Amino acid sequence: MNINEASQKTGLPKSTIRYYEKLNIVPPIKRDKNEVRIFEETDIEWLFFAKQMRGANVSIRTLVHYISLFKEGEGSIESRIELLTNELLKLQEHISGLQAAERSLSEKIEKYRTHVIPVEKKLI
């Protein structure tokens, strides 16, 4: 498939796909005789992986580091696990913060319903 199809399939803009390729976040994409990228399923899987990691707030720098470790092979498995574990902990902290913000907003909305609206109705 070409880059347009890869973009549609992954939901990633073409510019992001090119950027990920430039940074070696995805393996080099094969090209035809006209230098047009030809994406295979493994390329799409790498793009989905990168998209998921970015969606989990993993930085580009960390993603590049992870890919470099991956390329080292089996000897880097423990380092990859450690890196992913650290990212998971960061994500969990972020989720906790979001949940706290959600509770605050919910409480604020409830206070409006129970306190502000009744007072405003008396003023009208």
Side-chain angles (χ1 to χ4, degrees), residues 80-94:
R80 285 182 270 160
I81 290 171
E82 181 180 347
L83 183 147
L84 293 174
T85 300
N86 289 337
E87 291 304 313
L88 178 60
L89 292 171
K90 287 181 197 174
L91 181 60
Q92 289 168 336
E93 287 176 19
H94 184 68

Side-chain angles (χ1 to χ4, degrees), residues 42-65:
T42 55
D43 301 320
I44 299 302
E45 289 171 14
W46 275 108
L47 289 170
F48 274 126
F49 173 75
K51 182 179 179 179
Q52 288 174 331
M53 294 299 103
R54 294 292 293 140
N57 286 334
V58 174
S59 70
I60 291 290
R61 182 179 180 182
T62 300
L63 196 49
V64 168
H65 181 60

Side-chain angles (χ1 to χ4, degrees), residues 22-39:
K22 179 181 175 182
L23 294 178
N24 295 314
I25 290 172
V26 296
I29 308 299
K30 292 180 185 173
R31 296 176 184 253
D32 67 13
K33 63 182 178 185
N34 298 317
E35 293 298 309
V36 174
R37 290 172 180 85
I38 301 171
F39 291 83

